[in-house]
Amino acid sequence: MKNSYFYFSYLTVMAIAISVIPNIVIIPNVLAQTSAPEVENSPESSTPKTKANKLFETGVEQFRRGAFDEALETYEQVLSIRKELKDQKGVAQTLNNIGDVYINQREYSEALDVLQQALTIRRQINDRSGVAETLNLIGFVYQRQREFSQALNLHQEALDISQGVSDRSNEGESLHNIGAVRASQRQLDQALEFYQNALTIREEVGDRRDLGRTLNNMGVVYFNQGNYDKALETYQKALTVRREINDSAGIGRLLNNIGFVYREKGENSEALKYFRQAVALLESVGDQRSVGRIYGFMGALYQKEGEESQALAAYEKGLEAAKIAEDKTGQLEALNYLGDAYYEIEENAKAKSTYEAALVFYEEAEDRAAEGKTMVGLGKVYERLGENQKAKQILLKSLPINKKAGDKSVIAANMNALGEVYYSSADYSIALNYHKLALKNLPKNDDKDAVALAYQGIGDSLFQLKQYPQALENLESALAIYQESEKTAKAGRVYGQLGTILTSEDKPELAVVFYKQAINIHQNIRSQESQKSFLENPEEIYLNLVSLLLQQERIFEAQQVLDLLKLQELDNYLGKVTGNELTATRVKLLAAEEKILTEGTKDILNLKIDKKNLKADFSQFKSLQEKLQKLPGTALFYPLILPDKLELVLITADGETIHETVEVKAEEIQRAIADFRGTIFTPVGDVKNSAEKLYGWLIKPIENELTKANINTIIYAPDKQLRYLPLAALYDGEKWLVESFGINTIIAASLTNFETQPQNKPRVLAAALTEGKYKVQVGTRQVQLRPTTGKLVENLVETIPGSRQLINSEFSSQTIINDFNDYNIVHLDTPVALLTEAEGNGKPEDSFILFGDSDRITLSDLENWSFDIDLVVLSAAETNISGRMGNGEEIVGFAYQMQNAGAETIIASLWRVNDDSNQLMNTFYTVLQEGKSKAEALRAAQINMITGKDKEGSNPYYWASFILMGNGF
């Protein structure tokens, strides 16, 4: 049984590495106990003694594979039989093994109790080798309790006895254990010397299992010395030995150790490879305790690699394995890993429940130190959930607990968390003090992440207190640490804050540099599917950068950032929006800006930038101009609503860039749009006043430029609430805008195909829902939807020969999907609800198309559609149903999903016009058959309504509802 010591001797030595590897607990390395002599088959094979010996061997096998509870139960049976047989030597041997099991279960008092019984018996029967064996085990218990002096005395006594009786095997074990104590005391050179002496004896005795153990421990020492190559070489030797004796459990644990070496070398993929191999082997022998710990290590590596989903899966498997093994310590580690992982990916509800589950364990175990640490995690979750009062209560309660426990890193984490909560509550002075205290409590600044967080908290608080130079100084310190430790996401957030401070300090050119860097890091992280944004409000950074670029008349750069902003809005709403080659492009840093970043980020306020060299030719903008040149008479129009002004950007095919600023607050624009929609919703309303006001803000400032450039079509990328406004219905005091210009709405230039489309002969699939009354539950609201009359579809089928008509139950989502690609136009005259956050839950699942079989296809469902269609028309769509506007994400989200599925152009109504749209649609399809573009056809139909004989039909209620999105050229 002498080789049982290695399990904890290994763990003890590896504990030295914990200071270098925070929050990692090295798994134990369970090794075999000594078997009883094999018993040959004979008439006596069924005797109690034979039965005891066989059970003993079973217990040894169970112990070797880490099934400690099973081994304990088996040994108790053996003990009972041997006591009945009055086999004192066998009783002592069994007690010895039971003590070893208790050691491996960390039940040290129970271990000492049975080992003292074994020692007493062995002394009584003068079993000197047995005494040495038991002394080594007792010494190991003291070693685990960090009573190194007593442990050494016991191991030395065991060594003296072994040498006295020429028991080379126990002599080697004693030397091995003395080496383990020296390693625990960080006397690594002495440890190696003892291990080497033990190794010589192991080789002489020929016990391959013991030889493997000592080689393994030597590898651990080399690991702790930072001599990773030597550690790997020694582990490989141990691995060879383990494979020779077919010790699957030992092989698994060595593979784990090798994985640790590769992790420390920064070769994470190689480390994961070995961890996976270790898990497979240890699962095969049923060592769920070790499996659970290794999954924890794997999860941490996956997190480091940004593989959040794989990290979570590993942590969850680790928790499950710990539960199977009834390893309470392992379960707690897994719960804390999971809580931290859920917190990092902002799965706040799961993080909360996980931390709470861990707290129950710690409270039951009266482990106050662990309880205090877990409370910090829980408090941070409550802060993230906006429950600041609850967060303060927990964190203030945990602080004295953590102070008493004395772990300065945890105390600092507690104070940093309190700083963040008070910052969220706008108590910036208190936040500042807590972050300063956190910095003061960090031992020797070893925990660089915590140090950086403290500097960042100090910088953020000072910024809010308008102490900008001091804020910059602290944020610079945080940034330096994040860059050194390659914490790219955290560095990105600091870059954004530096940009904001530089703006406040009237350094706009420098602010642009840091905002660009923040956005580029964000874009890079966002492009990785498993990553979430590090920016709390990325749109704010984009808007700040656009505003600064426009102030400096850097129009092309501003346009690129505007496109990225629109993509970010889509991504926030739909998720997984990847864009294309253009939108994946980083914001271009000019040479002068690159120079600033390469010079370092110290003393930022005094950095000088060459302002004369902030203009550049961008190939992508030349490409945009070339595209516009293929569309004579077109101009690209980007309005941008800022809190205190309206920015207008116009780009023409000849490269002319026009930028105008309109002094009007966002609230005024929103009121005007709301007035417009409130009036236009009925055919009797007069919308001209609000339409003229909006014209004055949006078109009047660029009117002369449009005329001068001979523009006849505006390619329009609306912003926020402007998405609810049909630009065609703006009024200049004499005529509607559509009478002067065609309007082609787009999401963003970089998401638009500007190529002129061939005018294919229309092949139309037309469908209508004409029956029933529908109340659809969306979140906590019921949305009432009215069917259409079907007349529009009937007229359409008559207008375009060969059209197919589907009515009511014929019109199912599956039918449409099956028949899509047989047609180039799909016209759905069925209720469509595009709901704002105020009307639903702010999710794409809220908005939907209602089909004839009462099925609903949501905006999320459209992600799975695929077709190749020239045009999709939704003539009974409704937006802003309740009158409470959002930012229009549901409108552009719908357009994006349709375009992404394969529709070149989408025409949809912003409000329901019902049968009164028949005339407009009839004219649209008639003009379309004449070979006109879709944008030209829609404009002709609208002008026909305005100038026609039916004066009532000239009201914009009837013709302005329809907007064209995508490529209508």
Side-chain angles (χ1 to χ4, degrees):
M1 204 183 82
K2 42 193 173 293
N3 42 5
S4 63
Y5 312 147
F6 171 67
Y7 167 34
F8 273 101
S9 63
Y10 165 60
L11 179 58
T12 305
V13 177
M14 284 305 294
I16 300 170
I18 293 175
S19 62
V20 187
I21 315 167
N23 301 322
I24 295 295
V25 178
I26 308 303
I27 68 165
N29 199 348
V30 185
L31 293 174
Q33 300 177 339
T34 305
S35 302
E38 292 187 15
V39 178
E40 296 180 6
N41 291 327
S42 70
E44 298 181 2
S45 62
S46 60
T47 65
K49 183 175 181 180
T50 303
K51 181 181 178 183
N53 287 345
K54 286 187 174 181
L55 279 171
F56 189 88
E57 289 173 11
T58 300
V60 169
E61 186 276 328
Q62 290 165 337
F63 179 89
R64 286 178 178 177
R65 61 182 170 83
F68 300 129
D69 289 337
E70 294 175 32
L72 195 60
E73 187 177 331
T74 303
Y75 285 142
E76 291 292 352
Q77 294 179 53
V78 175
L79 186 63
S80 177
I81 296 170
R82 287 178 170 175
K83 280 182 177 179
E84 285 182 15
L85 294 172
K86 301 187 185 315
D87 177 6
Q88 288 291 81
K89 186 171 184 177
V91 167
Q93 184 185 34
T94 309
L95 286 169
N96 208 70
N97 278 27
I98 290 172
D100 207 356
V101 174
Y102 280 131
I103 289 174
N104 284 276
Q105 291 180 318
R106 297 182 176 86
E107 302 286 353
Y108 299 132
S109 59
E110 288 86 347
L112 283 174
D113 182 44
V114 294
L115 288 171
Q116 286 294 348
Q117 292 177 48
L119 184 63
T120 299
I121 294 170
R122 283 178 158 175
R123 288 190 192 280
Q124 287 172 351
I125 64 176
N126 199 32
D127 178 4
R128 301 285 285 162
S129 291
V131 167
E133 187 177 34
T134 304
L135 284 170
N136 266 325
L137 270 182
I138 295 171
F140 197 79
V141 173
Y142 285 115
Q143 183 189 145
R144 288 304 302 150
Q145 296 176 328
R146 304 193 67 76
E147 296 183 34
F148 298 130
S149 177
Q150 197 159 352
L152 279 173
N153 289 338
L154 289 163
H155 292 316
Q156 186 62 51
E157 185 181 352
L159 179 62
D160 292 342
I161 292 170
S162 301
Q163 289 172 337
V165 297
S166 300
D167 182 348
R168 294 289 279 168
S169 181
N170 260 325
E171 182 182 350
E173 187 64 30
S174 302
L175 290 166
H176 174 101
N177 284 317
I178 293 171
V181 175
R182 294 301 185 196
S184 296
Q185 294 175 310
R186 297 200 68 84
Q187 298 172 14
L188 301 182
D189 290 337
Q190 289 184 40
L192 279 175
E193 187 178 335
F194 279 101
Y195 281 139
Q196 189 60 57
N197 290 334
L199 190 67
T200 301
I201 294 174
R202 304 294 205 201
E203 289 170 341
E204 174 195 318
V205 171
D207 188 328
R208 305 295 285 167
R209 192 176 298 278
D210 283 345
L211 178 67
R213 287 177 51 233
T214 300
L215 282 169
N216 187 90
N217 275 27
M218 292 175 74
V220 172
V221 174
Y222 288 128
F223 175 89
N224 281 282
Q225 288 179 326
N227 191 345
Y228 299 135
D229 291 339
K230 190 68 175 175
L232 283 174
E233 178 189 330
T234 310
Y235 283 146
Q236 288 294 346
K237 288 180 181 177
L239 194 60
T240 300
V241 172
R242 292 287 178 210
R243 284 177 171 149
E244 285 173 5
I245 61 175
N246 199 28
D247 178 7
S248 295
I251 294 168
R253 295 182 190 97
L254 273 162
L255 290 169
N256 169 72
N257 292 358
I258 292 170
F260 266 110
V261 177
Y262 280 113
R263 190 190 71 170
E264 288 307 292
K265 285 164 68 75
E267 297 178 34
N268 293 340
S269 59
E270 196 71 8
L272 283 166
K273 182 181 81 174
Y274 278 97
F275 285 147
R276 282 191 286 267
Q277 291 176 33
V279 160
L281 270 172
L282 293 169
E283 279 183 331
S284 72
V285 298
D287 186 2
Q288 292 294 327
R289 181 188 299 261
S290 297
V291 166
R293 304 294 174 87
I294 297 174
Y295 272 126
F297 308 147
M298 291 172 69
L301 280 183
Y302 281 129
Q303 268 191 295
K304 190 173 181 181
E305 294 293 299
E307 300 290 345
E308 297 291 352
S309 59
Q310 287 182 273
L312 281 173
Y315 289 145
E316 285 164 355
K317 286 178 182 176
L319 180 59
E320 185 60 31
K323 285 179 179 176
I324 293 170
E326 297 182 357
D327 178 7
K328 192 167 274 191
T329 302
Q331 288 179 57
L332 286 169
E333 288 167 2
L335 284 169
N336 278 319
Y337 281 141
L338 269 173
D340 293 345
Y342 284 133
Y343 178 82
E344 285 298 319
I345 64 169
E346 299 180 25
E347 292 278 0
N348 299 317
K350 289 182 179 178
K352 177 175 170 287
S353 62
T354 305
Y355 283 135
E356 286 172 342
L359 270 180
V360 171
F361 271 111
Y362 289 133
E363 286 166 359
E364 287 175 359
E366 296 183 355
D367 187 341
R368 298 288 281 168
E371 181 185 345
K373 184 176 180 180
T374 304
M375 287 171 74
V376 174
L378 185 58
K380 289 167 68 177
V381 172
Y382 274 113
E383 186 268 336
R384 176 85 61 72
L385 291 169
E387 298 184 46
N388 285 354
Q389 197 56 40
K390 184 78 173 172
K392 286 177 190 174
Q393 288 173 1
I394 292 170
L395 291 167
L396 288 169
K397 183 180 176 182
S398 64
L399 189 57
I401 296 172
N402 288 322
K403 283 182 176 178
K404 188 172 181 180
D407 186 331
K408 290 196 171 185
S409 291
V410 178
I411 296 168
N414 201 148
M415 288 174 168
N416 268 331
L418 276 165
E420 290 175 354
V421 175
Y422 280 102
Y423 184 91
S424 296
S425 305
D427 294 323
Y428 302 122
S429 295
I430 299 175
L432 177 63
N433 288 334
Y434 272 116
H435 285 304
K436 284 182 175 179
L437 285 169
L439 197 59
K440 186 177 179 182
N441 269 275
L442 286 164
K444 298 181 182 178
N445 291 350
D446 282 340
D447 189 345
K448 290 190 175 182
D449 274 357
V451 172
L453 183 61
Y455 277 128
Q456 189 173 347
I458 292 167
D460 288 347
S461 301
L462 288 168
F463 168 74
Q464 295 295 344
L465 295 168
K466 301 190 185 306
Q467 298 178 34
Y468 300 133
Q470 298 95 319
L472 276 173
E473 183 181 337
N474 283 277
L475 288 171
E476 287 167 5
S477 298
L479 182 59
I481 295 170
Y482 289 145
Q483 288 173 325
E484 181 186 350
S485 55
E486 297 183 355
K487 301 288 184 181
T488 308
K490 292 180 178 180
R493 185 179 177 277
V494 176
Y495 276 117
Q497 186 69 315
L498 289 171
T500 302
I501 294 174
L502 289 165
T503 302
S504 300
E505 287 288 272
D506 196 26
K507 301 275 187 178
E509 292 83 8
L510 282 174
V512 164
V513 180
F514 289 93
Y515 277 144
K516 280 186 175 183
Q517 186 70 350
I519 286 174
N520 285 338
I521 292 172
H522 169 70
Q523 284 290 117
N524 184 52
I525 289 174
R526 196 179 65 79
S527 68
Q528 301 170 34
E529 189 174 335
S530 60
Q531 294 284 340
K532 289 200 172 186
S533 169
F534 61 87
L535 295 171
E536 292 174 9
N537 186 4
E539 293 92 336
E540 185 178 331
I541 301 295
Y542 285 100
L543 286 170
N544 290 346
L545 178 55
V546 170
S547 182
L548 288 173
L549 289 169
L550 290 175
Q551 285 174 28
Q552 298 169 45
E553 294 299 321
R554 295 160 67 175
I555 310 302
F556 281 144
E557 290 176 86
Q559 185 270 330
Q560 184 198 11
V561 179
L562 279 170
D563 270 18
L564 293 175
L565 169 61
K566 293 177 188 302
L567 194 70
Q568 176 66 49
E569 291 171 341
L570 273 174
D571 189 51
N572 290 348
Y573 181 65
L574 294 172
K576 299 180 182 177
V577 173
T578 55
N580 55 31
E581 290 180 4
L582 288 175
T583 54
T585 305
R586 290 160 51 94
V587 182
K588 184 175 177 63
L589 285 159
L590 307 182
E593 294 171 332
E594 289 274 15
K595 186 180 178 186
I596 289 292
L597 292 174
T598 54
E599 285 178 354
T601 52
K602 281 289 182 186
D603 199 18
I604 289 172
L605 272 179
N606 292 319
L607 291 174
K608 303 293 182 185
I609 190 166
D610 183 3
K611 295 181 184 181
K612 295 178 182 178
N613 196 21
L614 291 178
K615 300 282 182 183
D617 260 347
F618 295 112
S619 58
Q620 63 199 83
F621 300 126
K622 288 182 179 178
S623 172
L624 177 60
Q625 289 170 29
E626 289 169 2
K627 290 174 182 176
L628 291 174
Q629 285 167 1
K630 294 177 182 178
L631 300 168
T634 60
L636 187 60
F637 179 39
Y638 278 76
L640 175 67
I641 299 174
L642 296 175
D644 57 348
K645 58 190 171 185
L646 174 67
E647 299 281 13
L648 307 177
V649 172
L650 189 72
I651 301 174
T652 65
D654 61 5
E656 189 71 24
T657 58
I658 296 95
H659 165 226
E660 296 290 343
T661 300
V662 181
E663 300 299 329
V664 56
K665 294 187 181 298
E667 293 88 341
E668 291 181 72
I669 297 171
Q670 291 163 15
R671 278 198 300 272
I673 296 170
D675 288 345
F676 176 95
R677 285 187 63 107
T679 307
I680 206 170
F681 265 21
T682 60
V684 295
D686 186 356
V687 78
K688 286 183 177 176
N689 286 337
S690 54
E692 191 169 354
K693 181 185 286 187
L694 287 160
Y695 183 96
W697 292 330
L698 286 162
I699 303 300
K700 189 69 175 174
I702 58 172
E703 192 176 53
N704 290 337
E705 302 298 338
L706 290 168
T707 303
K708 201 188 313 179
N710 295 316
I711 301 301
N712 56 45
T713 301
I714 297 173
I715 303 171
Y716 174 50
D719 181 43
K720 302 184 183 71
Q721 292 79 20
L722 292 172
R723 292 160 180 157
Y724 299 103
L725 176 72
L727 196 69
L730 298 190
Y731 191 66
D732 67 0
E734 295 181 0
K735 59 183 181 297
W736 304 103
L737 188 66
V738 72
E739 296 179 81
S740 302
F741 305 100
I743 310 297
N744 193 120
T745 303
I746 62 171
I747 301 169
S750 55
L751 292 176
T752 303
N753 173 16
F754 287 94
E755 296 295 324
T756 303
Q757 298 302 298
Q759 306 308 316
N760 299 316
K761 181 180 179 180
R763 301 187 314 280
V764 182
L765 176 62
L769 176 61
T770 66
E771 297 175 345
K773 293 182 180 179
Y774 300 92
K775 290 183 179 179
V776 181
Q777 192 73 28
V778 178
T780 57
R781 290 176 54 84
Q782 266 198 345
V783 178
Q784 295 192 15
L785 299 172
R786 296 169 289 127
T788 64
T789 65
K791 289 181 181 179
L792 196 157
V793 167
E794 291 173 12
N795 292 339
L796 177 55
V797 171
E798 291 175 7
T799 304
I800 302 179
S803 298
R804 183 182 176 192
Q805 175 180 288
L806 299 172
I807 303 293
N808 298 328
S809 60
E810 301 173 330
F811 162 41
S812 69
S813 57
Q814 195 57 53
T815 303
I816 294 294
I817 291 169
N818 291 342
D819 295 348
F820 261 142
N821 291 322
D822 294 336
Y823 302 90
N824 57 13
I825 298 175
V826 174
H827 188 124
L828 304 181
D829 193 33
T830 187
V832 177
L834 301 178
L835 303 181
T836 67
E837 185 171 359
E839 294 161 340
N841 299 307
K843 296 180 179 178
E845 292 82 7
D846 298 340
S847 298
F848 56 88
I849 304 169
L850 188 63
F851 284 79
D853 57 357
S854 300
D855 190 17
R856 283 191 289 170
I857 296 295
T858 70
L859 261 61
S860 291
D861 297 329
L862 291 177
E863 183 180 338
N864 301 316
W865 281 21
S866 178
F867 42 69
D868 184 8
I869 296 176
D870 293 344
L871 174 64
V872 173
V873 180
L874 299 175
S875 52
E878 294 181 82
T879 64
N880 192 209
I881 294 172
S882 68
R884 291 183 291 175
M885 288 187 292
N887 281 329
E889 294 97 337
E890 68 281 4
I891 297 173
V892 290
F894 167 72
Y896 176 83
Q897 293 288 63
M898 279 292 185
Q899 285 182 240
N900 209 39
E904 279 290 342
T905 314
I906 305 98
I907 292 178
S909 56
L910 293 174
W911 59 86
R912 284 284 294 271
V913 186
N914 301 324
D915 292 343
D916 297 320
S917 65
N918 286 356
Q919 183 183 340
L920 183 137
M921 281 288 119
N922 288 342
T923 306
F924 169 76
Y925 282 111
T926 299
V927 175
L928 197 63
Q929 290 182 91
E930 295 171 358
K932 298 290 186 181
S933 71
K934 294 179 280 288
E936 290 171 327
L938 180 60
R939 183 187 180 200
Q942 290 174 323
I943 291 174
N944 181 59
M945 294 284 288
I946 295 168
T947 60
K949 294 178 181 178
D950 181 0
K951 294 301 179 186
E952 186 180 357
S954 66
N955 189 301
Y957 164 79
Y958 297 105
W959 57 262
S961 172
F962 292 93
I963 60 169
L964 181 149
M965 297 177 282
N967 181 345
F969 314 122

